[in-house]
C-alpha cells in the first residue's frame, strides 16, 4: 500500500530538530550512564539510535526536495 502523507518543509525541519536533540541527549546520557548500570546504558543507546534515525530520514527528505526538479515534485503531488 502506498503511503500518501504529505511532508512539508516545516515538518521535515521539526523532525530534524527532534532528531538532533534526541541524538545529543542520547550521547550525553551515554557518557553519564557508563558509571551507572546496564539499563541506563541501554536507554541512552535507544535514544541515540532514535535520534540518528530521525536525523537520517529528515536529511534524506531535505536533500531529495532540493535535488528533484519542480516538475517531478508537482507530478508526485498530483499523484497523491
Amino acid at each position: 500500500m502506498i503511503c500518501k502523507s504529505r511532508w512539508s518543509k516545516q515538518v521535515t525541519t521539526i523532525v530534524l530538530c527532534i532528531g538532533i536533540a534526541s541524538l545529543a541527549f542520547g550521547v550525553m546520557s551515554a557518557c553519564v550512564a557508563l558509571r551507572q548500570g546496564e539499563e541506563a546504558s541501554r536507554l541512552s543507546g535507544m535514544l541515540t539510535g532514535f535520534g540518528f534515525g530521525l536525523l537520517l530520514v529528515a536529511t534524506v527528505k531535505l536533500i531529495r526536495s532540493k535535488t528533484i526538479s519542480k516538475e517531478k515534485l508537482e507530478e508526485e503531488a498530483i499523484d497523491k
Side-chain angles (χ1 to χ4, degrees), residues 32-48:
V32 173
L34 289 176
R35 294 183 219 131
Q36 300 201 355
E38 184 179 331
E39 295 84 15
S41 177
R42 185 173 294 157
L43 178 64
S44 63
M46 283 191 280
L47 282 173
T48 303

Side-chain angles (χ1 to χ4, degrees), residues 16 51-61:
L16 185 68
F52 182 73
L54 287 178
L55 186 68
L56 188 66
V57 167
T59 304
V60 167
K61 284 284 206 181

Side-chain angles (χ1 to χ4, degrees), residues 5 22-23 28 31 41 63 65 70:
S5 65
S22 177
L23 181 66
M28 288 175 27
C31 294
S41 177
I63 290 172
S65 70
K70 292 197 182 254

Side-chain angles (χ1 to χ4, degrees), residues 68-76:
I68 293 180
S69 66
K70 292 197 182 254
E71 294 83 23
K72 179 75 174 174
L73 289 175
E74 288 174 2
E75 182 181 316
E76 287 180 2

